[in-house]
Amino acid sequence: MALLACPLFAGQTRTWSQSEYSDFEKGIVKNLSLRSDGPISLAPRLRELFDTASPFLWALAQDSKGNLYAGGGTNAKLYRIPLDGKGGDGKGAEGRGKLLTEMDALEIHAIAVDSKDRVYFATSPDGKVYRLSGSGKPEVFYDPKAKYIWGLAFNSKGELFVATGDEGEIHRVAADGKGKLFFKCDEAHARSMAVDSADNVIVGTDPGGVVLRVSPAGEGFVLYQMPKKEVTAVAVGPDGMVYAAGVGVKQAGPVAPAPTGPAPPPPAPAITPGAAVVLARPAPPPSASLAPNGVPGGSEVYRIDPNAGPRRIWTHAQDVVYALALDAGGRLVVGAGNRGSVYRIDSPTVYTALLTLPAAQVTGLLSGRDGHLYAVTGNVGKAYEIGPAVEHEGSLESDVFDAGMYSLWGRLSFEGSLNGGQIAITARSGNLDQPQKNWSAWSPAVTGPTGARLNSPASRFAQWRAVITAAGDAHSPELDSVDVAYLPKNVEPHIDQIEATPPNYKFPAPVAFAAAAPQQSLSLPVLGKRAPGGAAGVSVDSGVSPAMQYAKGYVGGRWLASDPNGDALMFTVEIRGANETEWKLLRDKLAERYYSWDSTAFPDGEYRLRITASDAPGNPPAEALTTQMVSDPFLIDNTPPKISGLTAARSGTRLQVKWHGADALNNIVKAEYSLDGGDWKVASPVTRLSDSLELDYDLTIDAAQGEHTIAVRVQDEFENLAADKVVVKN
């Protein structure tokens, strides 16, 4: 069928090309990572460690034996998830998580483990810090007298720092549980916290979006005030770089002080088994709550060099950042919602969408002692291991491509690096805008970058699917781009309208067709706005024509024409009189969509134009198509009106002047008179309306005694002018 269809296709071969992040992210991605500068590779291997059955988890920590501790809500539950302790595949550990305790509170937002593997966790609201005893029973370790506790972190001396809200305080607690206020942020919430290698406390606040560095002596210094309202996470790199994630839009005007009176905790949300749960935090800040539609303004991540200032390294209009961590290679990893996305920041200008977790929100990240990356999630509350090995196989099913018309599909090729693995790409086609069962079957796989011709049937829509397979755990093939050649069916041009132009004006002289399409020019799209990947587009006529110049006797026409294939068009202009049977050629192989000519060689009368549009410039001669359209009738009139019966007679001090004006084809539109060579003055017909082929004029003109010359002239719609004069002697 495809071979039989070949004669139906004409014109130039086009290419559907996909090579950018924006192209690939529209497809269905499974076990693949998408880099912002284009390449696709296998995602880090994802393994579910434990399903807590809680709606969400907020905090994650690890002890020296490799055990993970996760906490969340509702009912402030703390879990222990043992691993195999070898940093390997974790066989035997999966699914062995255990509920350690359930508190009479709503949430656990912070967990920390000291050098003796003692586990500390904090509840909210009416926050308290608990420590698990040797028997596993939680005991109150420290009460900061704060409503919320957002973070826990130890310094090198074993001192515990507690970040709180709604007074924005940081407390320092000794090993014996005795603590006191260490630093007050002058913000409602010390929302996120980390400790660097010099024991400086790095704090992110809400609602001012401030990133602070507090020295061991308790001296604060603002590193950066973010454009966002809430600093949801901070992290410190081994080189001392500070990373901060901000979300939410700041309110205009001064920030109201935080309320000081007690507030009752919010009721726990109802939970339907098996359903995704959307939970709000019990109190401000609301920006990073588990909202299904994201946070207005999206998220931003900054890298803050204490010696060189801040630099934005990542932003997203919809995703909400909940967590930051540094992987084993020192690269920043971002956990976000509400699509379960994990990103890696490879450089200040390049990031990788590493993978998408089954849960809606990635609420906590931890770079483990064994080089693995761990994550906890919300909606639903699970713990995962990420990498470092890559998935064995992944796939990307592209977005559906619309060629715009019935097309013949040709060679599929790709660019990439195999790295010992394999890239196999198949394609299918159909005439529905969604790939359903009535599309064609997938074609045989193309495994070589040079590609192969598809056997997909001719149709309007197409889609490709890439399967990437690794040779081992560490190295992934990379797919850079996919190209599919296609040839749209040649469709005849369209002529939508023909318009006669005003008489006595002409267009600039047309040029030869070959010169109308210069071969050495190229118009590039605006940077950052890539043109569609070779898609067949309609050649659209804007309807704009050049300015006309006055030229007595010229008439013309212009027309709207387009081509569904986007082919260049050339035109033939013909003319025929109302009582004629043959079309006469005015101009052939015309590139412009307008034409004017000297009509004085044509008899006066009614005519029509016939415009023929051809797509021959872009198609083989045998396959070029044409279309024609005939205009509405228009007039050629180069003969002036006639003036008859011109008389002038004196009546006292006045002259009475009469005449009759007539035109064969057009209305008389204007009449004027001049007395003794003076200025021309408009004369109204007897009917006062200039609306007929014949009009009578009767004027009374003041004139002194003596001889006078009266000149008159009349003009038709085509600016043809007749004049006459009469002399009165007294």
Side-chain angles (χ1 to χ4, degrees):
M1 288 292 293
L3 291 175
L4 291 174
C6 285
L8 298 175
F9 296 84
Q12 297 181 350
T13 299
R14 305 176 188 274
T15 302
W16 169 33
S17 180
Q18 292 199 297
S19 61
E20 297 187 3
Y21 182 92
S22 58
D23 298 327
F24 298 139
E25 71 169 345
K26 295 175 184 176
I28 300 173
V29 181
K30 182 179 180 182
N31 295 341
L32 292 179
S33 296
L34 309 182
R35 211 167 74 193
S36 60
D37 57 352
I40 308 170
S41 60
L42 288 167
R45 186 173 298 167
L46 180 68
R47 183 165 69 98
E48 182 181 315
L49 296 175
F50 183 54
D51 183 351
T52 67
S54 292
F56 59 89
L57 298 174
W58 281 112
L60 184 63
Q62 188 177 35
D63 64 20
S64 63
K65 300 180 180 64
N67 296 305
L68 297 177
Y69 297 87
T74 56
N75 297 336
K77 295 177 180 179
L78 179 69
Y79 301 90
R80 181 173 60 202
I81 307 167
L83 301 178
D84 63 357
K86 298 178 182 180
D89 61 6
K91 291 181 180 178
E94 188 173 353
R96 280 173 34 194
K98 177 183 178 181
L99 175 64
L100 293 179
T101 186
E102 181 175 352
M103 307 299 293
D104 186 17
L106 185 63
E107 301 171 312
I108 293 174
H109 263 282
I111 304 173
V113 180
D114 67 13
S115 59
K116 297 179 180 179
D117 279 346
R118 291 177 296 192
V119 178
Y120 302 76
F121 63 94
T123 59
S124 291
D126 298 323
K128 293 181 176 64
V129 179
Y130 293 85
R131 183 172 68 185
L132 290 181
S133 65
S135 62
K137 181 181 178 181
E139 300 173 343
V140 175
F141 178 71
Y142 180 69
D143 184 357
K145 308 299 182 183
K147 193 168 188 61
Y148 307 102
I149 297 178
W150 300 114
L152 297 175
F154 283 100
N155 66 8
S156 63
K157 298 177 181 178
E159 296 172 319
L160 179 65
F161 291 87
V162 183
T164 72
D166 51 6
E167 295 291 337
E169 296 178 345
I170 299 171
H171 291 245
R172 180 166 57 187
V173 187
D176 59 2
K178 295 180 180 179
K180 62 180 180 180
L181 176 65
F182 172 67
F183 185 81
K184 188 171 179 62
C185 300
D186 292 330
E187 291 269 296
H189 297 270
R191 177 61 186 84
S192 49
M193 182 175 64
V195 177
D196 67 14
S197 59
D199 282 346
N200 295 303
V201 179
I202 308 300
V203 184
T205 72
D206 173 87
V210 175
V211 182
L212 288 155
R213 181 182 63 208
V214 185
S215 72
E219 298 173 347
F221 182 78
V222 174
L223 295 175
Y224 185 52
Q225 183 169 21
M226 299 187 71
K228 299 298 183 181
K229 170 184 179 292
E230 179 182 357
V231 183
T232 54
V234 292
V236 182
D239 56 357
M241 293 293 177
V242 174
Y243 299 92
V247 306
V249 178
K250 291 183 179 179
Q251 296 180 354
V255 178
T260 57
I271 301 173
T272 303
V277 181
V278 177
L279 295 169
R281 285 216 173 87
S287 298
S289 62
L290 295 178
N293 297 321
V295 173
S299 300
E300 295 179 343
V301 175
Y302 281 79
R303 184 184 71 180
I304 305 171
D305 185 338
N307 299 314
R311 178 176 182 178
R312 190 175 71 180
I313 57 175
W314 184 86
T315 184
H316 199 285
Q318 288 83 39
D319 281 359
V320 180
V321 177
Y322 293 97
L324 299 176
L326 280 298
D327 67 9
R331 295 169 297 186
L332 185 69
V333 181
V334 178
N338 291 302
R339 301 179 298 172
S341 300
V342 178
Y343 300 91
R344 184 183 66 216
I345 311 302
D346 300 300
S347 76
T349 58
V350 176
Y351 67 88
T352 299
L354 276 182
L355 72 165
T356 300
L357 275 62
Q361 289 89 13
V362 180
T363 51
L365 289 171
L366 174 69
S367 184
R369 299 174 185 271
D370 50 7
H372 289 67
L373 186 67
Y374 300 99
V376 290
T377 62
N379 284 337
V380 291
K382 295 184 178 183
Y384 292 90
E385 178 187 82
I386 301 173
V390 297
E391 297 283 0
H392 175 66
E393 183 177 282
S395 64
L396 190 154
E397 194 170 293
S398 77
D399 193 19
V400 173
F401 173 68
D402 183 1
M405 60 192 66
Y406 197 69
S407 299
L408 180 67
W409 304 102
R411 179 176 295 274
L412 184 151
S413 59
F414 67 88
E415 292 184 1
S417 303
L418 298 181
N419 293 330
Q422 184 185 64
I423 299 175
I425 306 181
T426 58
R428 60 180 176 177
S429 61
N431 286 303
L432 296 172
D433 59 0
Q434 295 294 327
Q436 301 174 5
K437 63 181 180 180
N438 293 321
W439 272 45
S440 71
W442 290 103
S443 68
V446 176
T447 57
T450 56
R453 192 172 302 280
L454 297 174
N455 64 356
S456 300
S459 60
R460 174 172 172 174
F461 301 98
Q463 183 185 39
W464 57 261
R465 180 178 64 189
V467 177
I468 299 178
T469 307
D473 289 344
H475 300 289
S476 168
E478 285 193 353
L479 177 62
D480 295 321
S481 64
V482 178
D483 294 330
V484 179
Y486 68 101
L487 188 63
K489 177 185 181 296
N490 193 26
V491 179
E492 66 275 4
H494 294 163
I495 300 176
D496 302 306
Q497 182 182 354
I498 303 175
E499 175 189 79
T501 57
N504 303 313
Y505 285 87
K506 69 176 181 178
F507 290 110
V511 295
F513 185 83
Q519 300 299 309
Q520 300 300 321
S521 65
L522 176 64
S523 297
L524 297 176
V526 177
L527 281 172
K529 296 181 180 288
R530 183 172 55 91
V538 176
S539 171
V540 179
D541 184 357
S542 66
V544 176
S545 51
M548 303 184 76
Q549 296 179 340
Y550 184 81
K552 186 67 178 79
Y554 270 74
V555 296
R558 59 178 186 160
W559 50 93
L560 284 172
S562 60
D563 187 86
N565 300 88
D567 292 334
L569 299 177
M570 66 180 182
F571 303 95
T572 300
V573 184
E574 299 170 290
I575 190 170
R576 186 177 70 184
N579 298 318
E580 298 173 352
T581 58
E582 299 291 334
W583 291 97
K584 282 81 173 177
L585 179 66
L586 284 175
R587 182 63 187 259
D588 195 15
K589 296 182 179 179
L590 181 68
E592 294 82 4
R593 289 165 167 83
Y594 53 86
Y595 185 67
S596 55
W597 69 98
D598 186 353
S599 68
T600 56
F602 291 80
D604 289 357
E606 187 177 87
Y607 291 84
R608 292 177 186 264
L609 288 179
R610 182 171 73 177
I611 307 298
T612 302
S614 170
D615 61 8
N619 292 275
E623 297 168 350
L625 298 175
T626 62
T627 191
Q628 290 182 330
M629 185 177 186
V630 176
S631 73
D632 293 333
F634 65 95
L635 289 176
I636 290 179
D637 183 1
N638 292 302
T639 303
K642 292 182 178 180
I643 297 174
S644 61
L646 176 61
T647 62
R650 176 171 291 282
S651 176
T653 59
R654 295 183 176 183
L655 299 176
Q656 187 172 16
V657 182
K658 297 181 179 180
W659 77 91
H660 179 80
D663 192 87
L665 296 176
N666 290 293
N667 289 337
I668 302 295
V669 295
K670 188 177 182 181
E672 296 174 304
Y673 71 93
S674 171
L675 178 64
D676 296 330
D679 293 338
W680 288 98
K681 298 180 180 180
V682 176
S684 295
V686 173
T687 61
R688 299 180 62 187
L689 299 174
S690 299
D691 59 356
S692 301
L693 299 178
E694 297 188 28
L695 293 172
D696 289 311
Y697 296 86
D698 189 345
L699 304 180
T700 300
I701 305 172
D702 292 329
Q705 293 292 329
E707 183 178 278
H708 297 281
T709 300
I710 300 97
V712 299
R713 62 186 184 189
V714 294
Q715 180 179 312
D716 66 13
E717 291 178 346
F718 275 56
E719 299 182 6
N720 296 309
L721 192 67
D724 200 359
K725 64 181 178 180
V726 63
V727 178
V728 178
K729 295 182 179 181
N730 285 332

